[in-house]
mmCIF file of all heavy atoms in Angstrom:
data_model
loop_
_atom_site.group_PDB
_atom_site.id
_atom_site.type_symbol
_atom_site.label_atom_id
_atom_site.label_comp_id
_atom_site.label_asym_id
_atom_site.label_seq_id
_atom_site.Cartn_x
_atom_site.Cartn_y
_atom_site.Cartn_z
ATOM 1 N N GLY A 116 2.830 -52.415 -72.875
ATOM 2 C CA GLY A 116 1.538 -52.099 -72.263
ATOM 3 C C GLY A 116 0.400 -52.320 -73.230
ATOM 4 O O GLY A 116 0.617 -52.610 -74.414
ATOM 5 N N ASN A 117 -0.815 -52.186 -72.691
ATOM 6 C CA ASN A 117 -2.000 -52.338 -73.539
ATOM 7 C C ASN A 117 -2.012 -51.247 -74.610
ATOM 8 O O ASN A 117 -1.412 -50.187 -74.430
ATOM 9 C CB ASN A 117 -3.267 -52.179 -72.707
ATOM 10 C CG ASN A 117 -3.502 -53.372 -71.812
ATOM 11 O OD1 ASN A 117 -2.627 -54.207 -71.625
ATOM 12 N ND2 ASN A 117 -4.677 -53.448 -71.244
ATOM 13 N N PRO A 118 -2.705 -51.490 -75.701
ATOM 14 C CA PRO A 118 -2.899 -50.422 -76.679
ATOM 15 C C PRO A 118 -3.572 -49.230 -75.995
ATOM 16 O O PRO A 118 -4.410 -49.424 -75.109
ATOM 17 C CB PRO A 118 -3.838 -51.045 -77.713
ATOM 18 C CG PRO A 118 -3.675 -52.524 -77.557
ATOM 19 C CD PRO A 118 -3.327 -52.737 -76.128
ATOM 20 N N ASN A 119 -3.189 -48.051 -76.376
ATOM 21 C CA ASN A 119 -3.791 -46.838 -75.826
ATOM 22 C C ASN A 119 -3.512 -46.582 -74.362
ATOM 23 O O ASN A 119 -4.220 -45.831 -73.707
ATOM 24 C CB ASN A 119 -5.309 -46.834 -76.016
ATOM 25 C CG ASN A 119 -5.661 -46.425 -77.420
ATOM 26 O OD1 ASN A 119 -5.049 -45.509 -77.963
ATOM 27 N ND2 ASN A 119 -6.597 -47.124 -78.003
ATOM 28 N N ALA A 120 -2.505 -47.227 -73.820
ATOM 29 C CA ALA A 120 -2.170 -46.959 -72.426
ATOM 30 C C ALA A 120 -1.336 -45.690 -72.341
ATOM 31 O O ALA A 120 -1.202 -45.102 -71.272
ATOM 32 C CB ALA A 120 -1.411 -48.136 -71.828
ATOM 33 N N GLY A 121 -0.770 -45.278 -73.447
ATOM 34 C CA GLY A 121 0.024 -44.045 -73.455
ATOM 35 C C GLY A 121 1.504 -44.265 -73.650
ATOM 36 O O GLY A 121 2.315 -43.397 -73.329
ATOM 37 N N LYS A 122 1.862 -45.414 -74.188
ATOM 38 C CA LYS A 122 3.284 -45.720 -74.379
ATOM 39 C C LYS A 122 3.952 -44.706 -75.303
ATOM 40 O O LYS A 122 4.999 -44.159 -74.980
ATOM 41 C CB LYS A 122 3.446 -47.126 -74.985
ATOM 42 C CG LYS A 122 3.004 -48.238 -74.083
ATOM 43 C CD LYS A 122 3.120 -49.570 -74.758
ATOM 44 C CE LYS A 122 2.264 -49.697 -76.022
ATOM 45 N NZ LYS A 122 0.813 -49.518 -75.797
ATOM 46 N N THR A 123 3.318 -44.494 -76.458
ATOM 47 C CA THR A 123 3.944 -43.614 -77.439
ATOM 48 C C THR A 123 4.032 -42.183 -76.920
ATOM 49 O O THR A 123 5.017 -41.484 -77.149
ATOM 50 C CB THR A 123 3.186 -43.679 -78.772
ATOM 51 O OG1 THR A 123 3.094 -45.053 -79.150
ATOM 52 C CG2 THR A 123 3.901 -42.930 -79.862
ATOM 53 N N SER A 124 3.015 -41.761 -76.177
ATOM 54 C CA SER A 124 3.071 -40.432 -75.575
ATOM 55 C C SER A 124 4.285 -40.307 -74.670
ATOM 56 O O SER A 124 5.016 -39.311 -74.714
ATOM 57 C CB SER A 124 1.809 -40.172 -74.752
ATOM 58 O OG SER A 124 0.668 -40.345 -75.544
ATOM 59 N N ILE A 125 4.495 -41.309 -73.856
ATOM 60 C CA ILE A 125 5.641 -41.289 -72.943
ATOM 61 C C ILE A 125 6.943 -41.332 -73.735
ATOM 62 O O ILE A 125 7.879 -40.570 -73.479
ATOM 63 C CB ILE A 125 5.556 -42.464 -71.940
ATOM 64 C CG1 ILE A 125 4.416 -42.195 -70.962
ATOM 65 C CG2 ILE A 125 6.876 -42.653 -71.206
ATOM 66 C CD1 ILE A 125 4.208 -43.279 -69.945
ATOM 67 N N HIS A 135 3.750 -40.627 -84.028
ATOM 68 C CA HIS A 135 2.309 -40.426 -84.129
ATOM 69 C C HIS A 135 1.583 -41.070 -82.940
ATOM 70 O O HIS A 135 1.771 -42.230 -82.634
ATOM 71 C CB HIS A 135 1.808 -41.052 -85.427
ATOM 72 C CG HIS A 135 0.340 -40.907 -85.613
ATOM 73 N ND1 HIS A 135 -0.257 -39.675 -85.796
ATOM 74 C CD2 HIS A 135 -0.653 -41.815 -85.634
ATOM 75 C CE1 HIS A 135 -1.550 -39.835 -85.926
ATOM 76 N NE2 HIS A 135 -1.830 -41.132 -85.828
ATOM 77 N N VAL A 136 0.785 -40.284 -82.235
ATOM 78 C CA VAL A 136 -0.034 -40.877 -81.173
ATOM 79 C C VAL A 136 -1.474 -40.908 -81.655
ATOM 80 O O VAL A 136 -1.916 -40.046 -82.387
ATOM 81 C CB VAL A 136 0.028 -40.108 -79.838
ATOM 82 C CG1 VAL A 136 1.388 -40.215 -79.224
ATOM 83 C CG2 VAL A 136 -0.374 -38.664 -80.015
ATOM 84 N N GLY A 137 -2.195 -41.864 -81.244
ATOM 85 C CA GLY A 137 -3.568 -41.939 -81.714
ATOM 86 C C GLY A 137 -4.431 -42.679 -80.728
ATOM 87 O O GLY A 137 -3.933 -43.483 -79.932
ATOM 88 N N ASN A 138 -5.708 -42.394 -80.738
ATOM 89 C CA ASN A 138 -6.596 -42.999 -79.769
ATOM 90 C C ASN A 138 -7.248 -44.275 -80.308
ATOM 91 O O ASN A 138 -8.403 -44.541 -80.094
ATOM 92 C CB ASN A 138 -7.657 -41.977 -79.355
ATOM 93 C CG ASN A 138 -8.311 -42.392 -78.058
ATOM 94 O OD1 ASN A 138 -7.861 -43.346 -77.430
ATOM 95 N ND2 ASN A 138 -9.348 -41.687 -77.668
ATOM 96 N N TYR A 139 -6.530 -45.021 -81.037
ATOM 97 C CA TYR A 139 -7.049 -46.323 -81.449
ATOM 98 C C TYR A 139 -5.907 -47.323 -81.451
ATOM 99 O O TYR A 139 -4.744 -46.950 -81.593
ATOM 100 C CB TYR A 139 -7.725 -46.246 -82.817
ATOM 101 C CG TYR A 139 -6.867 -45.622 -83.896
ATOM 102 C CD1 TYR A 139 -6.097 -46.397 -84.728
ATOM 103 C CD2 TYR A 139 -6.860 -44.236 -84.051
ATOM 104 C CE1 TYR A 139 -5.315 -45.814 -85.705
ATOM 105 C CE2 TYR A 139 -6.079 -43.647 -85.020
ATOM 106 C CZ TYR A 139 -5.306 -44.440 -85.850
ATOM 107 O OH TYR A 139 -4.531 -43.873 -86.806
ATOM 108 N N SER A 140 -6.238 -48.577 -81.324
ATOM 109 C CA SER A 140 -5.170 -49.550 -81.128
ATOM 110 C C SER A 140 -4.482 -49.855 -82.446
ATOM 111 O O SER A 140 -5.028 -49.655 -83.521
ATOM 112 C CB SER A 140 -5.734 -50.828 -80.520
ATOM 113 O OG SER A 140 -6.797 -51.290 -81.312
ATOM 114 N N VAL A 142 -1.744 -48.497 -83.598
ATOM 115 C CA VAL A 142 -1.007 -47.419 -84.239
ATOM 116 C C VAL A 142 0.477 -47.764 -84.347
ATOM 117 O O VAL A 142 1.091 -47.605 -85.381
ATOM 118 C CB VAL A 142 -1.211 -46.089 -83.489
ATOM 119 C CG1 VAL A 142 -0.203 -45.053 -83.957
ATOM 120 C CG2 VAL A 142 -2.616 -45.585 -83.730
ATOM 121 N N THR A 143 1.000 -48.273 -83.242
ATOM 122 C CA THR A 143 2.410 -48.653 -83.258
ATOM 123 C C THR A 143 2.513 -50.057 -83.807
ATOM 124 O O THR A 143 2.158 -51.008 -83.139
ATOM 125 C CB THR A 143 3.001 -48.617 -81.839
ATOM 126 O OG1 THR A 143 2.429 -47.522 -81.157
ATOM 127 C CG2 THR A 143 4.491 -48.496 -81.873
ATOM 128 N N ASP A 162 9.873 -48.381 -78.078
ATOM 129 C CA ASP A 162 8.417 -48.346 -77.951
ATOM 130 C C ASP A 162 7.859 -49.576 -78.658
ATOM 131 O O ASP A 162 7.987 -49.716 -79.869
ATOM 132 C CB ASP A 162 7.889 -47.058 -78.608
ATOM 133 C CG ASP A 162 6.386 -46.909 -78.451
ATOM 134 O OD1 ASP A 162 5.821 -47.578 -77.551
ATOM 135 O OD2 ASP A 162 5.783 -46.132 -79.214
ATOM 136 N N GLY A 165 1.373 -52.309 -78.771
ATOM 137 C CA GLY A 165 0.492 -52.544 -77.622
ATOM 138 C C GLY A 165 -0.084 -53.952 -77.621
ATOM 139 O O GLY A 165 -0.446 -54.482 -78.670
ATOM 140 N N VAL A 194 3.603 -49.739 -69.115
ATOM 141 C CA VAL A 194 2.723 -48.573 -69.090
ATOM 142 C C VAL A 194 1.292 -49.049 -68.912
ATOM 143 O O VAL A 194 0.808 -49.900 -69.663
ATOM 144 C CB VAL A 194 2.856 -47.748 -70.384
ATOM 145 C CG1 VAL A 194 1.965 -46.519 -70.314
ATOM 146 C CG2 VAL A 194 4.303 -47.350 -70.605
ATOM 147 N N ASN A 222 -0.048 -44.691 -65.740
ATOM 148 C CA ASN A 222 -0.366 -43.589 -66.633
ATOM 149 C C ASN A 222 -1.833 -43.172 -66.520
ATOM 150 O O ASN A 222 -2.637 -43.877 -65.922
ATOM 151 C CB ASN A 222 -0.028 -43.990 -68.081
ATOM 152 C CG ASN A 222 0.165 -42.782 -68.964
ATOM 153 O OD1 ASN A 222 0.663 -41.759 -68.499
ATOM 154 N ND2 ASN A 222 -0.240 -42.880 -70.221
ATOM 155 N N MET A 223 -2.156 -42.044 -67.133
ATOM 156 C CA MET A 223 -3.502 -41.454 -67.054
ATOM 157 C C MET A 223 -3.872 -41.223 -65.594
ATOM 158 O O MET A 223 -5.020 -41.376 -65.200
ATOM 159 C CB MET A 223 -4.556 -42.378 -67.691
ATOM 160 C CG MET A 223 -4.103 -42.992 -68.988
ATOM 161 S SD MET A 223 -5.125 -42.450 -70.326
ATOM 162 C CE MET A 223 -4.310 -43.220 -71.698
ATOM 163 N N TYR A 224 -2.860 -40.906 -64.825
ATOM 164 C CA TYR A 224 -3.089 -40.688 -63.398
ATOM 165 C C TYR A 224 -4.016 -39.494 -63.183
ATOM 166 O O TYR A 224 -4.757 -39.447 -62.202
ATOM 167 C CB TYR A 224 -1.745 -40.477 -62.687
ATOM 168 C CG TYR A 224 -1.849 -40.581 -61.189
ATOM 169 C CD1 TYR A 224 -2.177 -41.799 -60.591
ATOM 170 C CD2 TYR A 224 -1.631 -39.469 -60.373
ATOM 171 C CE1 TYR A 224 -2.288 -41.916 -59.227
ATOM 172 C CE2 TYR A 224 -1.737 -39.576 -58.994
ATOM 173 C CZ TYR A 224 -2.067 -40.797 -58.428
ATOM 174 O OH TYR A 224 -2.178 -40.905 -57.080
ATOM 175 N N ASP A 225 -3.973 -38.549 -64.131
ATOM 176 C CA ASP A 225 -4.857 -37.382 -64.037
ATOM 177 C C ASP A 225 -6.334 -37.809 -64.006
ATOM 178 O O ASP A 225 -7.130 -37.262 -63.260
ATOM 179 C CB ASP A 225 -4.594 -36.418 -65.202
ATOM 180 C CG ASP A 225 -4.606 -37.114 -66.562
ATOM 181 O OD1 ASP A 225 -4.381 -38.353 -66.594
ATOM 182 O OD2 ASP A 225 -4.830 -36.441 -67.584
ATOM 183 N N GLU A 226 -6.645 -38.828 -64.811
ATOM 184 C CA GLU A 226 -8.040 -39.273 -64.869
ATOM 185 C C GLU A 226 -8.469 -39.961 -63.578
ATOM 186 O O GLU A 226 -9.599 -39.823 -63.127
ATOM 187 C CB GLU A 226 -8.241 -40.207 -66.063
ATOM 188 C CG GLU A 226 -8.111 -39.452 -67.379
ATOM 189 C CD GLU A 226 -8.453 -40.322 -68.570
ATOM 190 O OE1 GLU A 226 -8.771 -41.517 -68.379
ATOM 191 O OE2 GLU A 226 -8.396 -39.803 -69.695
ATOM 192 N N THR A 250 2.093 -41.316 -63.739
ATOM 193 C CA THR A 250 2.519 -40.444 -64.840
ATOM 194 C C THR A 250 1.306 -39.906 -65.586
ATOM 195 O O THR A 250 0.220 -40.475 -65.514
ATOM 196 C CB THR A 250 3.370 -41.217 -65.873
ATOM 197 O OG1 THR A 250 2.610 -42.331 -66.336
ATOM 198 C CG2 THR A 250 4.674 -41.706 -65.308
ATOM 199 N N VAL A 251 1.522 -38.788 -66.260
ATOM 200 C CA VAL A 251 0.534 -38.310 -67.227
ATOM 201 C C VAL A 251 1.293 -38.192 -68.542
ATOM 202 O O VAL A 251 1.984 -37.211 -68.786
ATOM 203 C CB VAL A 251 -0.065 -36.960 -66.793
ATOM 204 C CG1 VAL A 251 -1.114 -36.505 -67.803
ATOM 205 C CG2 VAL A 251 -0.670 -37.056 -65.405
ATOM 206 N N GLY A 252 1.177 -39.207 -69.343
ATOM 207 C CA GLY A 252 1.982 -39.315 -70.556
ATOM 208 C C GLY A 252 1.765 -38.174 -71.525
ATOM 209 O O GLY A 252 2.714 -37.657 -72.110
ATOM 210 N N SER A 253 0.511 -37.770 -71.662
ATOM 211 C CA SER A 253 0.205 -36.738 -72.647
ATOM 212 C C SER A 253 0.853 -35.412 -72.267
ATOM 213 O O SER A 253 1.151 -34.605 -73.138
ATOM 214 C CB SER A 253 -1.303 -36.591 -72.785
ATOM 215 O OG SER A 253 -1.895 -36.489 -71.510
ATOM 216 N N LYS A 254 1.076 -35.184 -70.970
ATOM 217 C CA LYS A 254 1.666 -33.927 -70.543
ATOM 218 C C LYS A 254 3.125 -34.095 -70.098
ATOM 219 O O LYS A 254 3.774 -33.121 -69.717
ATOM 220 C CB LYS A 254 0.861 -33.335 -69.383
ATOM 221 C CG LYS A 254 -0.599 -33.080 -69.709
ATOM 222 C CD LYS A 254 -1.140 -31.939 -68.854
ATOM 223 C CE LYS A 254 -2.567 -31.589 -69.223
ATOM 224 N NZ LYS A 254 -3.551 -32.432 -68.505
HETATM 225 P P1 GDP B 901 -0.216 -46.182 -76.967
HETATM 226 O O1 GDP B 901 -1.175 -46.922 -77.803
HETATM 227 O O2 GDP B 901 0.055 -46.906 -75.699
HETATM 228 O O3 GDP B 901 1.034 -45.810 -77.658
HETATM 229 O O4 GDP B 901 -0.951 -44.848 -76.463
HETATM 230 P P2 GDP B 901 -0.783 -43.397 -77.059
HETATM 231 O O5 GDP B 901 0.459 -42.805 -76.521
HETATM 232 O O6 GDP B 901 -0.993 -43.424 -78.507
HETATM 233 O O7 GDP B 901 -1.975 -42.652 -76.297
HETATM 234 C C1 GDP B 901 -3.326 -42.914 -76.507
HETATM 235 C C2 GDP B 901 -4.179 -41.733 -76.123
HETATM 236 O O8 GDP B 901 -4.152 -41.467 -74.742
HETATM 237 C C3 GDP B 901 -3.721 -40.447 -76.805
HETATM 238 O O9 GDP B 901 -4.846 -39.745 -77.209
HETATM 239 C C4 GDP B 901 -2.964 -39.703 -75.695
HETATM 240 O O10 GDP B 901 -3.048 -38.304 -75.868
HETATM 241 C C5 GDP B 901 -3.755 -40.113 -74.481
HETATM 242 N N1 GDP B 901 -2.953 -40.099 -73.276
HETATM 243 C C6 GDP B 901 -1.723 -40.642 -73.117
HETATM 244 N N2 GDP B 901 -1.311 -40.480 -71.832
HETATM 245 C C7 GDP B 901 -2.294 -39.835 -71.167
HETATM 246 C C8 GDP B 901 -2.485 -39.416 -69.797
HETATM 247 O O11 GDP B 901 -1.636 -39.606 -68.923
HETATM 248 N N3 GDP B 901 -3.630 -38.779 -69.485
HETATM 249 C C9 GDP B 901 -4.592 -38.584 -70.416
HETATM 250 N N4 GDP B 901 -5.696 -37.968 -70.004
HETATM 251 N N5 GDP B 901 -4.473 -38.986 -71.709
HETATM 252 C C10 GDP B 901 -3.346 -39.606 -72.083
#
Side-chain angles (χ1 to χ4, degrees):
N117 288 13
N119 280 319
K122 294 177 299 300
T123 307
S124 304
I125 290 179
H135 180 66
V136 292
N138 198 8
Y139 53 94
S140 54
V142 167
T143 323
D162 183 19
V194 182
N222 201 34
M223 317 243 176
Y224 194 66
D225 51 337
E226 291 186 359
T250 56
V251 181
S253 49
K254 302 208 176 86

